[in-house]
Amino acid sequence: MTTAKRDTYTPESLLTVAVRVFNERGYDGTSMEHLSRAAGISKSSIYHHVSGKEELLRRAVSRAIDALFAVLDEPGACEGRAIERVEYVTRRTVEVLMAELPHVTLLLRVRGNTKTERWAMERRREFDQRVAELLTSAAADGDLRADVDIRLATRLLFGMVNSLVEWYRPHSGGGDEEEQLAETVVRLAFDGLRTVPGDAHRG
Amino acid sequence: MTTAKRDTYTPESLLTVAVRVFNERGYDGTSMEHLSRAAGISKSSIYHHVSGKEELLRRAVSRAIDALFAVLDEPGACEGRAIERVEYVTRRTVEVLMAELPHVTLLLRVRGNTKTERWAMERRREFDQRVAELLTSAAADGDLRADVDIRLATRLLFGMVNSLVEWYRPHSGGGDEEEQLAETVVRLAFDGLRTVPGDAHRG
């Protein structure tokens, strides 16, 4: 039985188990023993696939980081007015967050005790910085409220977007629900909850 | 020395230490031994003040909960149009969060393993529900965008507001900075980041 299980493990399925355990117990609180028990394979079998738990963390957060940075290279993020590009990036960030929920959750929870954690935090800051630059361009175009500090706006925007990992759970609803959710985040962040003054009856 | 220290401890100063340790180690990860070491007094001295760590948790989160619910009884939350009331409650919630940062941080992190934690989560849900009701009234008045689901809007609003515990740290700036921050949260949530179409040059 143990042998059969071991044979069926791949680096990918081991990663799935590791991400789940890291999110449940915290990365610091997870030992190779915990991973071994959760995967139902021996520690030496795990070492057959990876050098240790830090490699599993690096692989897991890389997946989230790569997906987020890929958004910045998409045409919608590179072409057109800055305000449209930052709305596009916000929408796609929400979509990536939903598609890669366990990996992004892990990324958002790392706290910087190891080299890999510090690297992940640095990459997160780089991503936030790229979005802040788009917001700065949008402000220069006169498309952003002049009374909002960009640094603060970036933090609040990501505060709202990242909160999804706390409460969003995929439903059978699938594509439609996810599209609706991403659209709501963009509308709230850029247009606000309030109807435009004098526009109350158009709603 | 130990005796002198013990004598200076009050339930209030013990609570301050406990909240800090709970926030650093997590409530589950904190033992009476940790509290005893952090406070520099014996466990029996702690038991002189409180029945155990769950009582310290209850007192700490009660302070956050009481401060939040008090907002709902203020005139700004009870009088006038629903949209103005919900903007008022949002602004005051941000202010309470900044004023009671360690206590609100602890409240937002409890996960429900003990009776006190489940009670705290239930009270948080009640507070969110009260805000959701205000948003529902504002929508009925035609003051909220018709294309936004109230439940989702409530979650995103609190996602943004509650994210402050992750990055807000009090500065010497004091009152002005806090007022500015609370105002930005309200403006972003209700008016959005974008300038109103056709209003780009008004800034």
Side-chain angles (χ1 to χ4, degrees):
Chain A
M1 190 63 182
T2 306
T3 311
K5 267 198 175 172
R6 185 191 317 183
D7 287 341
T8 65
Y9 261 90
T10 63
E12 180 66 16
S13 59
L14 179 60
L15 193 64
T16 302
V17 172
V19 168
R20 177 170 55 75
V21 180
F22 289 156
N23 280 333
E24 280 168 10
R25 311 186 66 97
Y27 176 69
D28 278 346
T30 303
S31 65
M32 286 298 278
E33 184 62 34
H34 293 133
L35 293 177
S36 156
R37 261 184 272 148
I41 58 176
S42 67
K43 282 194 266 186
S44 65
S45 299
I46 297 180
Y47 285 119
H48 173 74
H49 291 297
V50 290
S51 62
K53 74 170 189 164
E54 196 167 344
E55 184 180 338
L56 286 164
L57 179 70
R58 187 178 54 72
R59 288 191 191 183
V61 296
S62 289
R63 187 157 146 177
I65 289 168
D66 291 350
L68 288 169
F69 275 90
V71 167
L72 299 177
D73 293 329
E74 291 172 6
C78 305
E79 296 160 11
R81 231 174 145 81
I83 186 77
E84 306 299 337
R85 284 151 62 199
V86 72
E87 285 199 3
Y88 177 86
V89 169
T90 303
R91 180 179 293 107
R92 291 284 297 123
T93 297
V94 174
E95 287 168 0
V96 165
L97 199 149
M98 291 187 288
E100 299 288 349
L101 191 63
H103 301 88
V104 179
T105 301
L106 185 59
L107 174 65
L108 295 178
R109 288 186 185 165
V110 297
R111 279 296 169 270
N113 295 316
T114 61
K115 203 178 148 187
T116 299
E117 286 171 278
R118 286 190 296 273
W119 165 79
M121 288 175 79
E122 182 54 36
R123 294 291 281 158
R124 252 192 81 184
R125 271 194 294 272
E126 275 175 48
F127 185 80
D128 292 6
Q129 184 53 38
R130 293 280 296 273
V131 176
E133 285 164 14
L134 279 177
L135 284 169
T136 303
S137 299
D141 292 342
D143 289 334
L144 278 204
R145 306 169 57 85
D147 58 349
V148 167
D149 174 76
I150 299 292
R151 191 177 148 86
L152 184 52
T154 309
R155 279 174 160 166
L156 292 170
L157 180 62
F158 280 108
M160 185 168 69
V161 168
N162 294 344
S163 77
L164 265 79
V165 306
E166 302 302 329
W167 53 262
Y168 172 74
R169 295 297 170 263
H171 294 290
S172 51
D176 272 4
E177 190 199 348
E178 289 170 17
E179 211 174 288
Q180 165 74 25
L181 204 158
E183 182 59 21
T184 299
V185 172
V186 173
R187 290 283 66 80
L188 198 165
F190 292 94
D191 298 336
L193 284 170
R194 219 187 227 277
T195 44
V196 179
D199 193 36
H201 301 289
R202 218 195 287 168
Chain B
M1 187 65 180
T2 305
T3 312
K5 266 196 174 170
R6 185 193 314 180
D7 287 342
T8 66
Y9 261 91
T10 64
E12 180 66 16
S13 59
L14 180 60
L15 193 63
T16 302
V17 172
V19 169
R20 176 169 56 74
V21 180
F22 289 157
N23 280 332
E24 280 167 11
R25 312 186 65 99
Y27 176 70
D28 279 345
T30 303
S31 65
M32 286 299 277
E33 184 63 33
H34 293 132
L35 293 177
S36 155
R37 261 183 272 148
I41 58 174
S42 68
K43 281 194 269 185
S44 65
S45 299
I46 296 180
Y47 285 120
H48 174 73
H49 292 296
V50 292
S51 63
K53 71 170 193 165
E54 195 166 344
E55 184 181 336
L56 286 165
L57 179 71
R58 186 179 54 71
R59 288 192 190 184
V61 296
S62 290
R63 188 158 145 175
I65 290 167
D66 291 349
L68 288 169
F69 275 90
V71 168
L72 299 176
D73 293 329
E74 292 172 4
C78 304
E79 297 162 10
R81 231 175 144 80
I83 184 78
E84 307 299 336
R85 285 153 59 200
V86 72
E87 286 199 2
Y88 177 87
V89 169
T90 303
R91 181 178 293 108
R92 291 286 296 124
T93 298
V94 174
E95 287 169 358
V96 165
L97 199 148
M98 291 187 287
E100 299 289 347
L101 191 62
H103 301 88
V104 179
T105 302
L106 185 60
L107 174 65
L108 295 177
R109 288 186 185 163
V110 297
R111 281 294 170 267
N113 295 316
T114 62
K115 202 178 150 191
T116 298
E117 287 171 278
R118 285 190 295 273
W119 165 78
M121 290 174 78
E122 182 54 35
R123 292 291 280 159
R124 253 191 80 186
R125 270 193 295 271
E126 274 175 48
F127 185 80
D128 292 7
Q129 184 52 38
R130 294 280 296 274
V131 176
E133 284 164 15
L134 279 177
L135 284 169
T136 304
S137 300
D141 292 341
D143 289 332
L144 279 202
R145 305 169 57 85
D147 58 349
V148 167
D149 175 75
I150 299 291
R151 192 177 147 87
L152 184 51
T154 308
R155 280 174 159 166
L156 292 170
L157 181 62
F158 280 108
M160 185 167 69
V161 169
N162 294 344
S163 77
L164 264 79
V165 305
E166 302 301 329
W167 53 263
Y168 172 73
R169 295 298 170 262
H171 294 288
S172 49
D176 272 6
E177 189 197 350
E178 287 170 18
E179 209 173 288
Q180 165 74 27
L181 204 158
E183 182 59 22
T184 300
V185 171
V186 172
R187 290 283 67 80
L188 199 165
F190 293 93
D191 299 336
L193 285 170
R194 221 187 227 275
T195 44
V196 178
D199 194 35
H201 301 289
R202 217 196 287 169

